[in-house]
Amino acid sequence: MKLSEFKFDLPENLLAQHPAKNRDESRLMVLHRDSGKIEHRVFKDIIEYFGEGDVFVVNDTKVFPARLYGNKEKTGAKIEVFLLRELNKEIHLWDVLVDPARKIRVGNKLYFGESDMVAEVIDNTTSRGRTIKFLFDGSDEEFYKALHDLGETPIPKEFIPRETEAADKERYQTIYAKHTGAVAAPSAGLHFTREVMKRLEIKGVDVVPVTLHVGLGTFRPVDVEDLTKHKMDSENFIVPADSAVVVNRALDAKKRVCAVGTTSMRAMESSVSAHSRLKPTEGWTDKFIFPPYDFKISNALLTNFHTPESTLMMMASAFAGHELLIEAYQLAIKEKYKFFSYGDAMLIL
């Protein structure tokens, strides 16, 4: 398929700037692939579509406060430093993006607030990318606490162009987030509340984790018309053995296995055995899923409404069928569903 087949006009006012007042009261559009039927529900109704022995696979990555603001040595210029990933824990070496990049050269030092945190620029990686080394006297625990205190929640400002608010710290994080490492939230999971989880448990639905540390590549635009030429950024992921056992048992019993979000789906589809079952894995994936694609593990997908020409929309299209997804998106715009990370949800069965 071509990039242009994923183009549509998204009214700016449908890009959610804030989450729903209550997580589980977002809207939920339900797509039935076999019949083409589309339903309009509320998220907490999701339990009606699942029963005993079905499985939800959630991504338990935890977003860390990746956006820092420092001041350049001598000039005092304010510089945004966006932490992408830690390259070397021993010497506090990090891969980052800086803005404005033109002001930051190798050898420059950055000072952060009133803290003792200082960073030196070691290398250029891309136009905005730099490798920096934090100069910090203290334990690892003290270092990470200092980073956490200095950083702010990395809501994607390209689509949510507002100042970060105190509420974002809680709401841009799933309730089951556990393993720190993401710079963007796995947004389909943001709709779950403890009440919904408890009601699923009472119905006999299993909820099992995988971990995929979402990188900024999830928002990187596709700039080639031929989708086979697009390269995804690699992301670190783990499929635990216990989760694989539960998923495979459900598949053998012909139950529903619902990937909660495109990141959970990518982790599972990157870890398929020769017998089309889920296998325990720990590693990196740059898997790009777009139509046509034969999904091996999940037979249901919970996802948000995505921006035009995004890789997330492409995966949803591969799962739903392109014509049905486009029909659903046109209906979502007409019915004023909210799009993107803080937006409404879609369940594809």
Side-chain angles (χ1 to χ4, degrees):
M1 291 192 76
K2 304 293 184 188
L3 176 64
S4 51
E5 294 179 71
F6 295 90
K7 193 177 181 71
F8 65 93
D9 292 323
L10 176 60
E12 211 169 281
N13 67 326
L14 296 186
L15 270 171
Q17 299 300 301
H18 294 87
K21 187 178 178 186
N22 298 309
R23 289 179 187 262
D24 60 7
E25 288 175 2
S26 298
R27 295 167 77 187
L28 177 70
M29 181 185 284
V30 183
L31 270 60
H32 297 267
R33 293 182 292 174
D34 54 353
S35 65
K37 181 183 173 187
I38 296 175
E39 297 179 87
H40 303 285
R41 306 295 298 267
V42 175
F43 185 78
K44 55 188 169 188
D45 298 336
I46 196 168
I47 60 167
E48 294 177 23
Y49 296 90
F50 296 88
E52 190 169 354
D54 291 337
V55 181
F56 277 88
V57 181
V58 301
N59 181 4
D60 68 359
T61 188
K62 190 172 189 177
V63 179
F64 65 93
R67 184 178 280 115
L68 313 179
Y69 292 96
N71 295 98
K72 190 178 167 185
E73 183 182 34
K74 294 178 185 170
T75 67
K78 186 179 180 182
I79 306 293
E80 179 184 305
V81 177
F82 195 102
L83 303 175
L84 293 176
R85 62 179 166 217
E86 191 172 33
L87 300 172
N88 186 315
K89 190 171 181 174
E90 308 296 312
I91 58 172
H92 304 314
L93 203 65
W94 283 74
D95 190 13
V96 305
L97 295 176
V98 293
D99 187 30
R102 67 183 184 281
K103 294 187 176 182
I104 299 300
R105 296 183 172 87
V106 172
N108 287 162
K109 284 198 172 90
L110 295 167
Y111 293 81
F112 295 91
E114 302 299 312
S115 71
D116 297 329
M117 188 76 81
V118 181
E120 182 177 357
V121 181
I122 304 296
D123 195 11
N124 296 327
T125 52
T126 63
S127 59
R128 285 184 59 212
R130 302 289 185 272
T131 301
I132 66 172
K133 178 182 179 181
F134 285 102
L135 311 173
F136 185 82
D137 291 327
S139 67
D140 282 352
E141 191 179 334
E142 290 168 330
F143 171 72
Y144 293 117
K145 184 181 185 306
L147 272 193
H148 199 275
D149 291 345
L150 285 167
E152 65 175 43
T153 304
I155 58 169
K157 298 220 169 161
E158 183 183 348
F159 301 104
I160 306 177
R162 61 165 172 81
E163 290 301 309
T164 303
E165 299 166 5
D168 291 317
K169 196 167 189 176
E170 180 210 348
R171 292 303 301 272
Y172 197 62
Q173 195 84 269
T174 63
I175 61 164
Y176 45 74
K178 186 175 182 183
H179 300 292
T180 301
V183 299
S187 55
L190 296 178
H191 306 283
F192 284 91
T193 58
R194 302 201 188 285
E195 290 76 16
V196 167
M197 294 295 233
K198 189 67 185 172
R199 290 170 75 191
L200 287 170
E201 182 190 331
I202 290 166
K203 282 192 85 171
V205 177
D206 290 306
V207 178
V208 298
V210 294
T211 306
L212 185 141
H213 294 311
V214 190
L216 270 192
T218 193
F219 305 128
R220 190 158 65 84
V222 179
D223 52 15
V224 287
E225 179 67 4
D226 180 354
L227 298 184
T228 62
K229 292 184 166 57
H230 178 69
K231 183 95 167 64
M232 294 285 282
D233 290 0
S234 285
E235 293 169 316
N236 189 229
F237 80 103
I238 300 167
V239 175
D242 290 352
S243 297
V245 167
V246 174
V247 167
N248 292 335
R249 186 172 64 217
L251 289 176
D252 291 342
K254 299 197 166 19
K255 296 291 186 177
R256 276 193 171 142
V257 174
C258 182
V260 176
T262 57
T263 57
S264 297
M265 184 72 90
R266 279 185 74 214
M268 287 191 284
E269 290 296 312
S270 300
S271 190
V272 180
S273 74
H275 305 292
S276 295
R277 289 296 181 263
L278 188 61
K279 63 181 182 182
T281 311
E282 184 167 349
W284 293 80
T285 180
D286 61 358
K287 193 172 191 66
F288 177 28
I289 297 174
F290 60 95
Y293 183 85
D294 178 21
F295 289 86
K296 305 294 193 302
I297 306 296
S298 291
N299 46 37
L301 171 65
L302 177 70
T303 189
N304 275 28
F305 289 89
H306 304 296
T307 51
E309 300 181 317
S310 62
T311 58
L312 310 177
M313 180 190 178
M314 289 165 192
M315 185 193 289
S317 161
F319 193 81
H322 192 64
E323 285 183 14
L324 180 58
L325 188 88
I326 294 300
E327 180 191 342
Y329 270 46
Q330 288 170 345
L331 185 57
I333 290 169
K334 183 184 170 192
E335 297 292 332
K336 295 188 166 41
Y337 275 75
K338 293 291 188 178
F339 281 64
F340 203 57
S341 302
Y342 276 153
D344 294 313
M346 173 186 279
L347 175 64
I348 309 170
L349 299 172

